[in-house]
Amino acid sequence: MTVQSQESSAGRQAGDTLGRRLAAFAGSPLFRGDAQLLHGPNPYRRMLVPGSLAEHDFDRPPGPGEWSAHRSLAAHRLLGTYYESETVLLPEQGLAGLYEDFDLFYGRQLKEIREGSVSELERFAFACLDDAVDVSGAATPDVLDAYFQHVVDEAAAGPSPALTAIAEARDRESAADLYLVQLALDGLTEASAMSRNLGGAYGPEQSALFKIFIDEFGYGVYDAKHTTIFAKMLRSRAMATHVHAYWNFYLAGPLATNNYYYYLSRDHAKFFRYAGAVTYAEAVFAPAFVEMVKVFRDIFGDAVDLHYCDEHAHIDEHHGRITREQVLLALAERHGPRVVPELLRGVAEARLIGGWFEDDTAAQIRWSDDLPRHRELAGSAKTAGAPQRTLLTPESPFGTRTHDDAVVLEIERGEADLVTTPTGPPERMARGDAVLIPAGRLYGVRPATSETACLLHTATPG
């Protein structure tokens, strides 16, 4: 037995911290990355930036104002990988040449680490929701329905921050592609979390959820499956369609949104919270996809395949009615006032975390679309402390990250490309060039010379 599996199977012994277990997991050869910006058609490999984990205190969860901190991004990358190991991932081209990776991804060693740390990692990743949502007060089906209707109307009335950022961008095509990548996180494995709550026996509400599930899966017709038509949309933009090709470009907000539904469905004590969350999601999807169709048609005309959006704009209006009437309110009536606070909490948390998806994506679009100004800001930024120096070669693994505070990236030697979007042109930087990277903004650096030296300065306010 290896040291890693000995540690994980022994539980929390002296010195066996969550951080150490996460580092052991991320240190697997599957998660060390390679020099390519996009991951190949191998669903088991994804870059977890293991070298950065030592920076973080995994005993202090991020607060609501720290959702885009790097420790939040790192935690949700790990948690998403944990959850997907409980699903079946097989490459479309077959397993030939990938048998060892399959065995390692699903094997005992990583499984023991996951099982020994998943609950703590969930608490770390989602503790911020506990203080951000208050469901005290009257707990009746009428109160539940009134609150639900209010937040759904609110979502339908307000424009999407992310789609607004796309429409206002100078490079609208790259901004739209960045948004598609965030949707691809769930779009290529759609309804996987939902499947975990379909077992058991809980009456007509179970059948109502199953109706939605089979819609997502195209009633058993692969060409009608929502993941299949999502891939068609990606192909119309000449984008990769295999699972997690764009792993390096998933933002913390979208990762957390996807993980949230796994988090609830992994623990059946949170079933009523899940029912509230999925009801809210189904109700707000339809108007969101109607808005997306308008924005994307304005940018691409008929050159983009929006069948996926049209399908959701239609079917999710139906799903919204089903979940409200046959799941949310039906559960409240059947099981009484004790479950209403959990149903309310699910609605409120889904609203909150969906807002994080939108705000994080909008902020990334605006920053990556305005890099020349952030070059100027770097020149006037005040910095503190000794800079962190990194040497890169063309063989160095490529990874992306964020920072908890604003930083100034400076090229000390050589040349490099600053990469902030999956399809847009990178920002070439030469010796002496610098750029201000705001807190929470995702970036990667790819060397353009045989050796590149980068300096990272902490920027100070003022």
Side-chain angles (χ1 to χ4, degrees), residues 6 39 354:
Q6 287 174 343
H39 288 318

Side-chain angles (χ1 to χ4, degrees), residues 104-132:
L104 184 54
F105 187 76
Y106 291 113
R108 178 181 176 185
Q109 182 176 352
L110 293 181
K111 181 179 180 181
E112 288 182 349
I113 300 176
R114 290 193 306 268
E115 291 177 346
S117 57
V118 63
S119 294
E120 288 177 82
L121 185 57
E122 286 177 331
R123 284 193 291 272
F124 177 88
F126 292 112
C128 54
L129 295 176
D130 294 339
D131 295 329

Side-chain angles (χ1 to χ4, degrees), residues 141 144 201-207 271-272 325-340 343:
L144 171 64
Y202 53 92
E205 297 82 11
Q206 184 178 24
S207 296
F271 172 75
F272 294 101
E325 297 169 6
Q326 301 178 33
V327 178
L328 184 76
L329 299 180
L331 287 171
E333 292 288 353
R334 182 186 301 274
H335 299 287
R338 283 285 299 271
V339 306
V340 172
L343 293 167

Side-chain angles (χ1 to χ4, degrees), residues 214-236:
I214 60 177
D215 277 347
E216 304 285 1
F217 276 72
Y219 279 79
V221 179
Y222 182 74
D223 286 345
K225 190 172 183 277
H226 285 182
T227 56
T228 305
I229 59 176
F230 185 87
K232 286 169 56 183
M233 181 164 58
L234 291 177
R235 277 194 294 272
S236 73

Side-chain angles (χ1 to χ4, degrees), residues 6-325:
Q6 287 174 343
E7 288 183 348
S8 59
S9 62
R12 294 205 65 176
Q13 300 175 357
D16 180 20
T17 65
L18 175 61
R20 285 187 57 178
R21 277 171 278 153
L22 298 181
F25 185 87
S28 166
L30 291 177
F31 310 131
R32 296 173 187 168
D34 57 35
Q36 304 304 312
L37 268 63
L38 304 187
H39 288 318
N42 179 342
Y44 316 116
R45 289 185 177 261
R46 68 277 306 267
M47 177 53 144
L48 295 181
V49 196
S52 71
L53 296 183
E55 302 173 13
H56 305 305
D57 175 7
F58 285 98
D59 292 327
R60 185 175 70 85
E66 302 174 298
W67 279 349
S68 293
H70 185 257
R71 70 184 187 281
S72 180
L73 173 67
H76 281 291
R77 281 172 167 171
L78 283 156
L79 199 53
T81 303
Y82 280 22
Y83 291 145
E84 286 196 337
S85 71
E86 300 300 323
T87 70
V88 179
L89 296 177
L90 294 174
E92 187 174 350
Q93 76 276 13
L95 268 178
L98 301 179
Y99 295 115
E100 291 183 3
D101 285 359
F102 174 89
D103 290 341
L104 184 54
F105 187 76
Y106 291 113
R108 178 181 176 185
Q109 182 176 352
L110 293 181
K111 181 179 180 181
E112 288 182 349
I113 300 176
R114 290 193 306 268
E115 291 177 346
S117 57
V118 63
S119 294
E120 288 177 82
L121 185 57
E122 286 177 331
R123 284 193 291 272
F124 177 88
F126 292 112
C128 54
L129 295 176
D130 294 339
D131 295 329
V133 172
D134 180 9
V135 294
S136 59
T140 67
D142 288 343
V143 168
L144 171 64
D145 195 30
Y147 175 71
F148 173 76
Q149 297 282 20
H150 168 72
V151 295
V152 169
D153 290 345
E154 175 190 68
S160 154
L163 290 171
T164 299
I166 293 169
E168 295 174 348
R170 285 190 290 260
D171 183 356
R172 296 194 301 167
E173 292 192 5
S174 295
D177 289 345
L178 177 62
Y179 185 69
L180 284 180
V181 162
Q182 308 315 311
L183 297 181
L185 176 60
D186 170 68
L188 294 175
T189 58
E190 196 162 338
S192 292
M194 174 181 278
S195 66
R196 302 174 68 120
N197 271 326
L198 296 177
Y202 53 92
E205 297 82 11
Q206 184 178 24
S207 296
L209 282 176
F210 191 73
K211 290 177 190 175
I212 296 170
F213 181 80
I214 60 177
D215 277 347
E216 304 285 1
F217 276 72
Y219 279 79
V221 179
Y222 182 74
D223 286 345
K225 190 172 183 277
H226 285 182
T227 56
T228 305
I229 59 176
F230 185 87
K232 286 169 56 183
M233 181 164 58
L234 291 177
R235 277 194 294 272
S236 73
R237 289 292 305 132
M239 296 173 69
T241 61
H242 55 272
V243 172
H244 300 328
Y246 297 98
W247 174 269
N248 283 322
F249 298 94
Y250 296 149
L251 301 169
L255 279 163
T257 303
N258 195 50
N259 285 344
Y260 176 70
Y261 293 91
Y262 280 103
Y263 162 63
L264 297 184
S265 59
R266 193 183 78 87
D267 179 1
H268 295 311
K270 296 182 176 68
F271 172 75
F272 294 101
R273 195 181 308 185
Y274 170 83
V278 77
T279 300
Y280 176 81
E282 294 293 344
V284 300
F285 279 162
F289 280 111
V290 169
E291 184 180 356
M292 181 179 168
V293 168
K294 293 177 182 177
V295 172
F296 275 59
R297 280 280 176 248
D298 185 57
I299 298 171
F300 301 111
D302 293 332
V304 63
D305 185 331
L306 295 176
H307 176 195
Y308 177 86
C309 303
D310 291 331
E311 170 75 7
H312 274 277
H314 164 69
I315 200 70
D316 284 338
E317 187 174 346
H318 174 56
H319 288 173
R321 287 194 299 270
I322 290 176
T323 49
R324 173 182 169 266
E325 297 169 6

